[in-house]
Each structure stands twice: as structure tokens, then as C-alpha cells.
């Protein structure tokens, strides 16, 4: 099959999976349903291909959506988050100290691969930096891809089943009317934000750039509109399909032990995140749910969607994930070279 039919088939499978999750009233149905359906299809060697080339446009839509949740008092609130950011940085170091040895001794990875597999940074950045330093890319790809999948699932299920909060499609619907001018402003945020993010070399530029411009428009009161609910749901299906298609070419024999390792590493991280969330609550008065989303080792885009779904402060969650990613991007290579120099390698 050529690429286009494979992409269409992947999107069809993702849509069916999203519709099934929606019909069953499961959490984040369009994204999680598409993710699990295409992940199963990938492992079953179905002739599918993830629409990776349109992912930047998809995450730009979600960036604009999350940027719309930034309020006029954001700057005043952000000044009070210095303490929580400091807690986040300590938490990141503790996660690395715990999870890297887990992959080394339990997963039997070599130290270099274990180091970049265990770092709580972005998938793309850890693969690129790890491979440049001699790590094996395949275990890192699996470790971080599964970490994101496991975290999204655990967090969504926790808030839906244990906390009883609405994490369904209805919680992501737009409330404000969308005029032609508002639509043009939001579209401009997506397009020019993506270009700005790339120019400024943001991590996840197609997400953070649109989020930044959308946030500026909403903070200044230029617009109060959000992208249409249908567009947001389509974006979630595509995002879930891309995530699920990452498992193409991976056999069950490889996936099962990798999933076991990832579940173990993610549970360790989630326990540490819960402890840090309790500290945030005690020190800064943040709600534990909100702090957990800010610390959870999932993707920035996905945790932002869950924050939006449970009516948490999206700005708080997004800011802490951006700081986490930047902190790891700067810290991980620096610490690696220091450790390598001391060990004589």
C-alpha cells in the first residue's frame, strides 16, 4: 500500500476507537480511544501509517485551545509560582536518581541508555540527545512512548473513576460564540505561533508558539473564543492516532517486557509526583489534583487537555511542564558529561 491509504486506514481505526470510547463514556474518549485502537493495530501489523506530518497542525489547534484558558490575572498568579517551580526542579532530580537505576538494574539497560530512558524529559529531545551520546535509540523510544501512554491512561482513569470528575468529551466543548474575526485571530495564533515557536527554538514549537499567542490574545481581552469543539475532537483523534502508530514494527515479544518496565517506572514516578504534589499543596496552597497534573510524567499537550477537562488551571499546569522539559534538556546533557568525565569514559 502507498502511504496515503495507510494513513487513511490509521485515521479510520483511530476514529472508530474514539467513537467506541465515547459510546462507552470513557475518559478523554477521542484521544485515548484512537491511541489504543491504533496501538493494537500497530502491534498486530496492520498496514497503517500515522499522519505524523499533520501532527504540528493538530497540536497547534490544541495549543490555541489551552492558551484560551489563560486569564487576565495570569501574571499576578505566576509570580506566586516560584516556590512550586523550585519544588518541581527538586522533584525532577529525584525522579532521575530513582528511575535511571531502575532501568539499569531492573531493565538491564546499559548506563547510557538507562540514563536517557529514565530522564523525565520530552520524547524527541531525549532520543536525539541520547543517540548523540551513544545510547541505543529503540529502548529510549519505547520507554518514553510507553511512559506517555501509561501516564495519560492512569491520570485519566484516576480523575474519572476515583475522583469522579468529568474527563469526557463534553468537558472540552467551547462555551463562547465564535465570530469570523475571532476565528481569524485564532487561526493567526496557530499559524504565526508555530512559526514563532520554530524561530525561537521552543521545545514543541508547534504547540508552545500557538499557546503563547493565544494566551496573549485572551489575557489582553482581544478575544474570549476557543476553537470549535468538532475541530478539537478531530485534533484529539489525530493526536491519538499518531501516538498509537509509534508502535509500528514492534512485536508483542518486545512490547510486553517494555510495557512492564514502563509501568514500573511510571508508577515510581507517579508516587514521587504525588509526594511532591502534597508538598506543593502545603507550601503554595495549590490543589493536589492540579499539582499532580503539573508533575505527572505525561506529555505537555495531553496533560493540558486533562487539566482543561477537570477545570484545573491550565496555565499552572502548562508552565510547570514547560519548565520541566527545559530543565531536563539543559540538565541532562550537562550532568551526563560530568558523570562520564568522573567515571573516565
Amino acid at each position: 500500500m502507498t502511504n496515503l491509504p495507510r494513513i487513511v486506514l490509521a485515521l479510520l481505526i483511530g476514529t472508530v476507537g474514539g467513537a467506541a470510547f465515547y459510546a462507552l463514556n470513557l475518559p478523554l474518549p477521542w484521544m485515548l480511544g484512537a491511541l489504543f485502537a491504533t496501538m493494537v493495530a500497530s502491534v498486530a501489523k496492520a498496514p497503517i501509517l500515522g499522519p505524523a506530518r499533520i501532527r504540528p497542525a493538530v497540536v497547534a489547534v490544541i495549543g490555541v485551545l489551552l492558551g484560551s484558558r489563560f486569564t487576565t490575572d495570569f501574571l499576578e498568579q505566576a509570580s506566586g509560582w516560584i516556590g512550586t517551580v523550585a519544588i518541581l526542579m527538586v522533584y525532577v532530580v529525584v525522579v532521575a536518581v530513582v528511575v535511571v537505576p531502575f532501568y539499569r538494574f531492573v531493565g538491564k539497560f546499559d548506563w547510557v541508555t538507562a540514563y536517557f530512558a529514565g530522564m523525565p524529559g520530552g520524547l524527541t529531545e531525549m532520543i536525539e540527545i541520547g543517540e548523540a551520546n551513544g545510547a541505543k535509540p529503540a529502548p529510549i523510544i519505547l520507554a518514553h512512548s510507553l511512559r506517555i501512554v501509561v501516564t495519560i491512561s492512569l491520570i485519566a482513569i484516576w480523575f474519572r473513576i476515583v475522583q469522579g470528575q468529568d474527563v469526557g468529551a463534553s468537558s472540552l466543548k467551547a462555551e463562547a460564540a465564535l465570530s469570523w474575526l475571532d476565528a481569524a485571530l485564532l487561526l493567526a495564533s496557530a499559524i504565526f505561533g508555530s512559526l514563532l515557536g520554530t524561530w525561537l527554538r521552543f521545545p514543541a514549537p508547534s504547540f508552545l508558539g500557538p499557546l503563547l499567542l493565544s494566551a496573549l490574545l485572551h489575557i489582553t481581552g482581544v478575544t474570549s473564543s476557543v476553537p470549535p469543539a468538532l475541530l478539537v475532537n478531530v485534533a484529539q483523534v489525530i493526536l491519538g492516532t499518531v501516538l498509537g502508530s509509534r508502535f509500528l514494527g514492534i512485536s508483542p515479544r518486545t512490547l510486553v517486557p517494555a510495557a512492564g518496565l514502563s509501568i514500573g517506572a511510571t508508577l515510581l514516578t507517579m508516587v514521587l509526583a504525588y509526594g511532591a504534589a502534597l508538598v506543593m499543596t502545603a507550601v503554595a496552597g495549590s490543589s493536589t489534583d492540579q499539582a499532580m497534573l503539573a508533575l505527572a510524567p505525561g506529555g505537555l499537550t495531553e496533560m493540558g487537555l486533562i487539566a482543561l477537562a477537570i477545570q484545573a488551571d491550565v496555565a499552572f499546569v502548562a508552565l510547570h511542564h514547560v519548565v520541566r522539559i527545559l530543565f531536563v534538556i539543559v540538565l541532562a546533557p550537562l550532568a551526563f558529561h560530568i558523570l562520564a568525565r568522573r567515571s573516565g569514559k
Side-chain angles (χ1 to χ4, degrees):
M1 296 176 70
T2 59
N3 286 350
L4 183 57
R6 293 174 63 197
I7 291 172
V8 171
L9 179 60
L11 289 172
L12 284 173
I13 291 172
T15 303
V16 170
F21 270 46
Y22 180 81
L24 293 170
N25 201 28
L26 294 174
L28 281 183
W30 297 109
M31 182 174 68
L32 282 182
L35 191 162
F36 280 103
T38 50
M39 184 170 68
V40 171
S42 296
V43 176
K45 299 182 180 179
I48 64 173
L49 183 65
R53 289 189 177 183
I54 61 174
R55 185 181 183 276
V58 167
V59 297
V61 170
I62 298 174
V64 171
L65 173 70
L66 299 185
S68 70
R69 291 308 193 260
F70 281 63
T71 59
T72 53
D73 57 353
F74 167 71
L75 294 178
E76 182 181 343
Q77 289 179 323
S79 63
W81 296 341
I82 296 174
T84 59
V85 167
I87 294 168
L88 167 74
M89 291 180 176
V90 174
Y91 155 78
V92 167
V93 173
V94 174
V95 168
V97 169
V98 171
V99 178
V100 170
F102 175 84
Y103 275 111
R104 174 67 184 99
F105 296 113
V106 178
K108 307 298 182 184
F109 291 5
D110 62 85
W111 270 114
V112 179
T113 303
Y115 182 86
F116 290 100
M119 279 288 168
L123 168 67
T124 304
E125 293 82 10
M126 290 304 96
I127 294 169
E128 291 178 358
I129 298 172
E131 194 169 10
N133 285 282
K136 298 174 183 176
I140 297 176
I141 293 170
L142 269 177
H144 286 287
S145 296
L146 286 167
R147 167 178 59 82
I148 293 170
V149 171
V150 172
T151 300
I152 295 169
S153 303
L154 288 177
I155 287 287
I157 291 170
W158 171 267
F159 283 117
R160 179 56 178 276
I161 296 176
V162 179
Q163 300 279 14
Q165 300 200 48
D166 185 11
V167 196
S170 61
S171 58
L172 296 173
K173 289 182 179 178
E175 295 179 0
L178 186 67
S179 69
W180 285 107
L181 176 59
D182 291 323
L185 289 170
L186 296 182
L187 179 61
S189 296
I191 296 172
F192 293 109
S194 297
L195 295 174
L196 178 66
T198 302
W199 181 63
L200 293 176
R201 298 180 181 273
F202 285 169
S206 298
F207 175 76
L208 288 179
L211 186 150
L212 175 62
L213 290 192
S214 176
L216 288 174
L217 288 176
H218 287 84
I219 288 172
T220 55
V222 174
T223 181
S224 59
S225 294
V226 300
L230 177 61
L231 181 61
V232 172
N233 289 339
V234 169
Q236 289 184 78
V237 168
I238 296 173
L239 179 60
T241 301
V242 171
L243 288 171
S245 298
R246 282 180 178 166
F247 296 90
L248 278 169
I250 298 173
S251 66
R253 181 177 296 181
T254 301
L255 184 62
V256 170
L261 276 175
S262 180
I263 290 171
T266 304
L267 287 175
L268 282 173
T269 308
M270 293 291 280
V271 169
L272 295 172
Y274 185 69
L278 292 178
V279 175
M280 277 190 180
T281 300
V283 171
S286 306
S287 74
T288 306
D289 291 349
Q290 186 168 287
M292 272 296 293
L293 285 177
L295 296 165
L300 167 59
T301 307
E302 295 80 12
M303 293 302 101
L305 281 172
I306 296 175
L308 180 62
I310 69 166
Q311 306 300 312
D313 188 338
V314 172
F316 179 88
V317 173
L319 176 68
H320 285 74
H321 277 283
V322 170
V323 171
R324 171 181 61 84
I325 293 169
L326 291 174
F327 185 58
V328 173
I329 289 173
V330 173
L331 175 71
L334 178 63
F336 175 80
H337 290 302
I338 292 173
L339 292 171
R341 192 179 302 118
R342 288 186 176 181
S343 63
K345 294 183 180 180

